[in-house]
Structures are given as C-alpha cells and as structure tokens.
C-alpha cells in the first residue's frame, strides 16, 4: 500500500513539474522579411509597397514590435511596445491597445473612436514563416491583409 501511494505521489510530482514546459508560449523574436508573393494585401496604401521588415523582441510576455515598409520609394516606420497580458493600455497617445495570448497565437487590438485594427500573429508552415492576419475597420478603407514574413 505504501509503495502505491509513493508511486502515485511520484507520478503526480512529475506531471506537475512538466506542466510549465508544456504551457510555454512560442518565441516570435527575430527579424522577418515581408514575402510579397505569399501575402494577400487588400489595403489601397499597400499598392506601392516594395519591401518590408518586421522585428520582434520578446522577453516573456513583453514585446517590442517594430516594422518598416518601403512604399513608393519612401520608408515608413512604426514601433510599439506591448505586454501580452490582455490589459488595455494607452498606445501612441491617441490609441488604446491590448495584446493577449490566444492559445499559441498572439492577438493584438489597437483602436480608438472610429477605427479598429486587429492582428492575429502566429507561425506559418514552420517557425521560419510568420503570419500577421490583419483586419482594419475605419477610414479611409476597411481591409483584410494577410501578411507573410520569412525569418532572416
């Protein structure tokens, strides 16, 4: 009887110790180059897009997301810091934003009165392909962009 109890305690202990390893979230850190051939872009502003680089720095649930696009020969930059804890925070003075885990995917929402930009981030076919599925609602145009990036 004592052996059975010891065995059950040992098995439970092993399961509890392994749970954090199974619940770890993916690490999206890296530099990602836009793959225009695989991407499906609806937004009018992407018509002159020739190049894009997306850089993610991830430390636990803290993210720095920065990107630049070359559009009609001009470089456009954006950098934002977010915590993947689901809390709404003010971003870039004018906006509110939230980043949260949904399973192994990241779900980001930035909004204010009159518009909403929702992006779901995940790996593609493997960890060298990164997908950003974006739905924008607001002026001047509602759109759905399916961005595909390759790891550099």
């Amino acid at each position: 009887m004592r052996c059975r109890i010891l065995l059950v305690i040992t098995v439970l202990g092993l399961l509890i110790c392994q749970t954090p390893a199974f619940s770890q979230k993916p690490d999206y850190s890296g530099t990602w180059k836009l793959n225009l051939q695989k991407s499906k872009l609806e937004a009018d502003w992407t018509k002159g897009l020739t190049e894009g680089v997306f850089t993610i720095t991830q430390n636990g649930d803290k993210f720095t997301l920065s990107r630049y696009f070359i559009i009609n020969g001009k470089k456009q930059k954006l950098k934002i810091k977010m915590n993947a804890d689901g809390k709404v925070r003010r971003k870039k003075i004018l906006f509110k934003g939230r980043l949260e885990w949904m399973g192994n995917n990241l779900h980001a929402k930035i909004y204010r009165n009159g518009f909403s930009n929702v992006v779901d981030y995940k790996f593609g076919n493997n960890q060298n392909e990164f997908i950003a599925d974006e739905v924008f609602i607001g002026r001047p145009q509602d759109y759905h962009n399916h961005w595909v990036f390759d790891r550099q």
Side-chain angles (χ1 to χ4, degrees), residues 48-151:
L49 179 63
T50 56
E51 181 183 347
V53 174
F54 189 38
T55 303
I56 302 171
T57 305
Q58 178 180 349
N59 187 356
D61 282 342
K62 294 182 180 184
F63 289 82
T64 301
L65 311 168
S66 57
R67 64 108 172 121
Y68 77 81
F69 292 136
I70 305 293
I71 302 173
N72 296 322
K74 295 182 181 177
K75 193 176 209 177
Q76 296 183 359
K77 296 179 184 180
L78 175 70
K79 182 176 183 178
I80 191 164
K81 293 182 180 187
M82 297 184 85
N83 293 329
D85 59 7
K87 292 181 182 175
V88 174
R89 293 183 173 82
R90 188 155 301 281
K91 295 291 163 196
K92 300 289 183 185
I93 301 172
L94 300 173
F95 310 107
K96 290 183 180 178
R98 176 179 73 225
L99 183 67
E100 62 189 324
W101 289 105
M102 292 194 156
N104 282 331
N105 301 341
L106 274 178
H107 179 79
K109 181 174 184 177
I110 296 179
Y111 60 96
R112 72 173 184 198
N113 195 17
F115 94 86
S116 167
N117 192 16
V118 177
V119 185
D120 288 308
Y121 299 102
K122 63 182 180 179
F123 285 123
N125 293 326
N126 55 56
Q127 291 189 355
N128 290 317
E129 184 178 76
F130 187 70
I131 308 292
D133 195 58
E134 173 188 31
V135 176
F136 180 89
I137 298 171
R139 291 185 188 157
Q141 172 196 19
D142 296 349
Y143 59 82
H144 179 193
N145 286 335
H146 183 78
W147 303 91
V148 179
F149 298 86
D150 297 319
R151 189 183 292 276

